[in-house]
Each structure stands twice: as structure tokens, then as C-alpha cells.
Amino acid sequence: MLRRSLFTGAILGTVMAVVAGPALAQKKDNTVRIAFFDPISMIDAVYDPKPETGFTANAIYDRLMTYETATGQFRPRIAESWTRVNPTTYEFRLKKGLKFHDGSDLDADDVVYTVNFVADPKVRFRIKSRYLFIKGAEKIDQHTVRITTKRPSVSAMMRFARSLSIYPSDVHGALAKKNTFGRKPVGSGPYRAAMVDPEKGIVLERVNNYQLAADYRPAGKVKRYVIKQIPSVQTQVAQLLTGNLDMMYRVPKDQVDNLRNDPNFGFTAQSKGLLIAYLLLDAAGRSENPALKDIRVRKAIMHAVNRRAIQTTLIAGGSDVPMVESMCFRNQAGCDFSARLPEFNPAKAKQLLADAGVSDLSLEITSVTSAPAAVPQAIAGYLRAVGIKASVTRLPFPPYRKKQAQGKIQALANPWASGGLPDVESTANFFFAPGARNYSRDPVITKLAKEGASTFEPNARKAIYKQLFDRVTEQAYIMPVATTPPVFVHAKGLHISEVGADETYGALPNQIWWK
């Protein structure tokens, strides 16, 4: 089913003798060399929101708190303590004596400035929705900040911990063009940016005596990261094989299969990542394909798809992680479910189509071009096997969003990473809040999503979301097709911790080290 890479096989036998030398040299120098596929322009996840920027931003900046996934607890970071004064008001007491990398003080002025900047309706950037719940921030004293939200939001703390990087108010505020800040970023994190250059790449250098080091947020272990843009998969693999790269992310499955058993390399598939491939169906009938309004047709489509085969044969690392069983993972805050997804059963799919009186169904599956084509193509193949005339249309992001807003998507096969949050509210809001993305238009689910977003007691919240995600499955609105774990192929002596698996990049720079 998969085409093997002739490139990797051809050069693998010729380079083994030279791998050990460069790799050992980098281990001795405590340097890790990484390549990014996407262009390098800045270290600022506000203006360049992608996994690679998330990795470098986690090195440079600090946030108010750390969310410790293993315990489900928020831990101190810039803030030493906090209180929810009421459902829409949070008060943070900041640690004293903190400094940015340029030596300037980090205090309430910087936190207030950053919060008000991202919340300002006049400030535009791509994923503004992450901060729309914020009303504003005010300074109580030099080390106390009060943040208010527009409505009760149970995921507010998670956003403060995972999305809100604190900027120095004097440096950032002085810029006429705020989107240039990431070219010469100033933060307070475990690494400083020694270079950010679109042509030459990024160099991150470890901060000695990192002021916020803790067991859950340690100082950097690697002395230096050297990051270059190499858009070609084959070139990255060649650089890895010849010892000129130490770590490769987003490795295609055929390359993984060729490299993972080689004794010169390590292989890490993060089992606690949040990325999934899903199939959404237009149950509301917005796309003028009325057959999809029939639950029997939707269930037939889902019974026709062999999820396990897709995960194990098309997804890198898919055979190393559990199957996803709902539109949330149990390690996410608020997640619970009991309903079972439709099992792979082509005969049942055909019977359901016959019961619905559908004998000539056409279905257009839309996906974005930034996502791998293999999953939507495989889904289409399985649907054609039960008599559905399935086709795939791949679109760049702007025309995809236009098509989505116009209600013209019949079926959508895309990746989803829970909005970068280990909390189910982001998923419930993304798919089921009123608006263009909602293709179920189920008032029961809309009501549950609203209740879940404003219920703070953990058990009551899980009970609400259990109803929501069970109904999604029972009504066959969206089917999670496969877990897509963060996968790394790397030098044998490099360790990539599971801590950080649920971050957008699947790893944290201060949780990687040479063994």
C-alpha cells in the first residue's frame, strides 16, 4: 500500500561509516542540530502560529503558569500564586526579582501590557480566537495583576498557561510593527535567541542559572540548538544519515520505516500527543447533499472506513500508539466518553445505505493542502469500495476557509490538535459553537458546549462533556480516524522526553538531552 523510498535505501549503506563521528562531536559539544521544513522568519507564536515556532517560543518565553499534564495541576512560573476572585476575574501574584534576557525587570507592567495587547480588538493576527475571551488586565501593584474575562471560561487558566507568552513592555511596545518583534525576540525562558535569520536559521543558547527552573520546568540541558530551514524531506534525511542533523521531526512513514531499526538512530513516537486525523460530515445539510442528513448514511460512511489500517499503514508511529476512540483524549482536562465508534464493517455500510434508499451517493471530501494527502485519499478509497462515489478536493487554507464559511463542505478530512490545549473546551468550541465551522447544528450539543465552557467543578464538567462527545459519536457527526503522534528520528544518544508531547511540536527544548 505504501511506496518505499528508493532514496533512503540507496544511500543508507554508503554513509554508516561517517555517521558516528559528526554525531559524537555534537554530543561532546552539547549541541543539537534540527531542520525545519517551513520558512524561518521569527520566534513569535502570535504572528507565526505553527509547531516549529511553538518549539522555539517555548525556549525563549515564559508564561504565568505551567500546566503539568501528568498530574493535571497548574504550577507556578512567572506567577507564584493565583486566585479566581469570581468566575470572570483572576488575580496573579508575580515572583519578585525576575529579569528578561536583556536585563530589564519582568513585573506587572509587562504582564498587563502583554494581556491587553493580545486582547486588543484592533490588533489583528491569525488565531485571534485564542484570546477573544479576555476583557483586559490591570495592575494592582508592581507584582500583582488582575485579569478579567468577558464571560466565565473554564479554559482561561489553560490559555494563560499554554498560549500567553509574556513580552517585555518597553521593547515590544516601542515597535511600530509588532510583527517584527520575533526577529530579535526578548524573553525570560531557559534559552535566549543568539540568531534569528531567514537565510541562516536560528541559534538558541542556554541561559545559565535560569531563574524559573523547577522540577516541572527545568533549565535547558542542551547547551545550544542550531536550526536551519531545509524544505526537502530527502535532503533532511541525507543530512541525518551523514551526521549533519541530530533530530528530524514530521518524518514521513516510509522514511521512518527505513530508519527506525538502524542501530545508529533513535526513534521516538510520543503517545500523549493531541493530533488526530478526523472525518466530519455535513449532518446539517448545509452543502446541499441531503443524504448526509440521514444518520444511517453517516453511519454507513463511518462503517466503511478501516481506521486501524489507516493508522498502522499510513501514519508514522501509528502502530506504536493506541487508537483514538473519541474526539478527545483522556489525558485532556474535561475529557470523558463511553459511546463506541462504528467498527469497520463494509457489509453493514452497504446495508445501511440500502435501508436509507441511497444507491448512487456522491461525496466530495475536502482537505487542506498543508495536511498529508494519504488519509483523505484512503478514506475515499474505502468509500468507493462500498459503492459511494467519493472524490477528494485539496485546498490551500484561504479558499478552504471560504468554502467552509459558505457551507459548501460535504465531508472534511483534516488534522486537529485540540487548538494546542490539553483541554476539551477548545475542541467543543471549534466544532460546535455557533458559526461557520459548525456542520452539525445540533442544539443539544451547542447547549452542552456552552455549559461545559462555564462549569468549573471538574467532575460536573467531565459529566457534561461525556454527554457531548457521546452524542457526537452516536449521531455520527465526526469520526476520529487516527492518532497522529509526534514522531522524531534522531541521533542514537539523544533523549526526547514524553513531557511536552501535548505541546504543538510534540517536544520541549528544555526536555531534550544527550544521554
Side-chain angles (χ1 to χ4, degrees), residues 212-376:
L212 292 175
D215 58 346
Y216 51 87
R217 171 73 173 170
K221 299 174 178 65
V222 170
K223 182 179 180 181
R224 182 182 298 105
Y225 284 95
V226 177
I227 303 168
K228 294 183 178 181
Q229 182 203 357
I230 303 178
S232 165
V233 172
Q234 291 188 342
T235 303
Q236 283 201 25
V237 171
Q239 292 292 302
L240 187 72
L241 289 170
T242 54
N244 294 313
L245 280 182
D246 303 303
M247 176 174 152
M248 189 175 169
Y249 172 58
R250 290 199 293 178
V251 189
K253 189 178 188 301
D254 57 344
Q255 308 287 11
V256 168
D257 290 343
N258 281 329
L259 293 168
R260 66 179 296 175
N261 295 318
D262 189 286
N264 292 284
F265 300 104
F267 168 79
T268 300
Q270 303 281 45
S271 63
K272 299 190 185 314
L274 298 178
L275 184 63
I276 61 172
Y278 68 87
L279 175 66
L280 174 150
L281 300 174
D282 177 24
R286 296 172 60 195
S287 63
E288 299 182 358
N289 191 337
L292 297 176
K293 297 174 70 174
D294 191 322
I295 189 173
R296 294 170 296 182
V297 173
R298 299 196 302 272
K299 287 190 173 183
I301 290 170
M302 294 182 180
H303 278 298
V305 178
N306 190 335
R307 298 190 310 119
R308 184 171 297 279
I310 289 175
Q311 178 160 319
T312 57
T313 63
L314 296 180
I315 305 297
S319 58
D320 298 273
V321 297
M323 293 289 298
V324 59
E325 298 300 339
S326 183
M327 282 300 291
C328 67
F329 293 94
R330 292 199 184 277
N331 59 309
Q332 288 181 278
C335 177
D336 197 9
F337 55 87
S338 61
R340 296 177 63 84
L341 292 168
E343 75 282 1
F344 175 55
N345 190 332
K348 189 169 185 178
K350 292 178 181 179
Q351 184 61 53
L352 284 168
L353 290 172
D355 292 345
V358 175
S359 60
D360 193 32
L361 176 63
S362 294
L363 185 69
E364 181 193 36
I365 301 171
T366 300
S367 68
V368 292
T369 52
S370 58
V375 171

Side-chain angles (χ1 to χ4, degrees), residues 364-397:
E364 181 193 36
I365 301 171
T366 300
S367 68
V368 292
T369 52
S370 58
V375 171
Q377 292 291 357
I379 292 171
Y382 284 119
L383 297 184
R384 287 192 288 267
V386 299
I388 297 172
K389 297 175 183 176
S391 61
V392 176
T393 299
R394 287 169 54 76
L395 296 173
F397 191 80

Side-chain angles (χ1 to χ4, degrees), residues 345-492:
N345 190 332
K348 189 169 185 178
K350 292 178 181 179
Q351 184 61 53
L352 284 168
L353 290 172
D355 292 345
V358 175
S359 60
D360 193 32
L361 176 63
S362 294
L363 185 69
E364 181 193 36
I365 301 171
T366 300
S367 68
V368 292
T369 52
S370 58
V375 171
Q377 292 291 357
I379 292 171
Y382 284 119
L383 297 184
R384 287 192 288 267
V386 299
I388 297 172
K389 297 175 183 176
S391 61
V392 176
T393 299
R394 287 169 54 76
L395 296 173
F397 191 80
Y400 150 71
R401 285 289 288 148
K402 182 178 179 180
K403 184 177 182 178
Q404 182 186 57
Q406 292 174 339
K408 294 182 178 180
I409 291 177
Q410 298 179 15
L412 182 63
N414 264 349
W416 171 245
S418 191
L421 287 191
D423 190 292
V424 299
E425 192 273 337
S426 56
T427 296
N429 179 68
F430 185 87
F431 290 105
F432 304 113
R437 293 189 297 258
N438 191 331
Y439 271 77
S440 64
R441 303 292 169 94
D442 184 326
V444 174
I445 289 183
T446 300
K447 182 174 181 290
L448 289 169
K450 186 176 180 180
E451 290 177 1
S454 58
T455 299
F456 290 88
E457 202 284 314
N459 290 329
R461 184 172 184 243
K462 286 182 69 173
I464 291 169
Y465 281 120
K466 181 177 183 292
Q467 295 178 64
L468 186 153
F469 288 112
D470 279 355
R471 186 169 176 83
V472 170
T473 297
E474 290 161 355
Q475 293 297 313
Y477 292 142
I478 309 177
M479 180 173 71
V481 175
T483 305
T484 305
V487 168
F488 302 90
V489 178
H490 47 83
K492 192 68 174 179

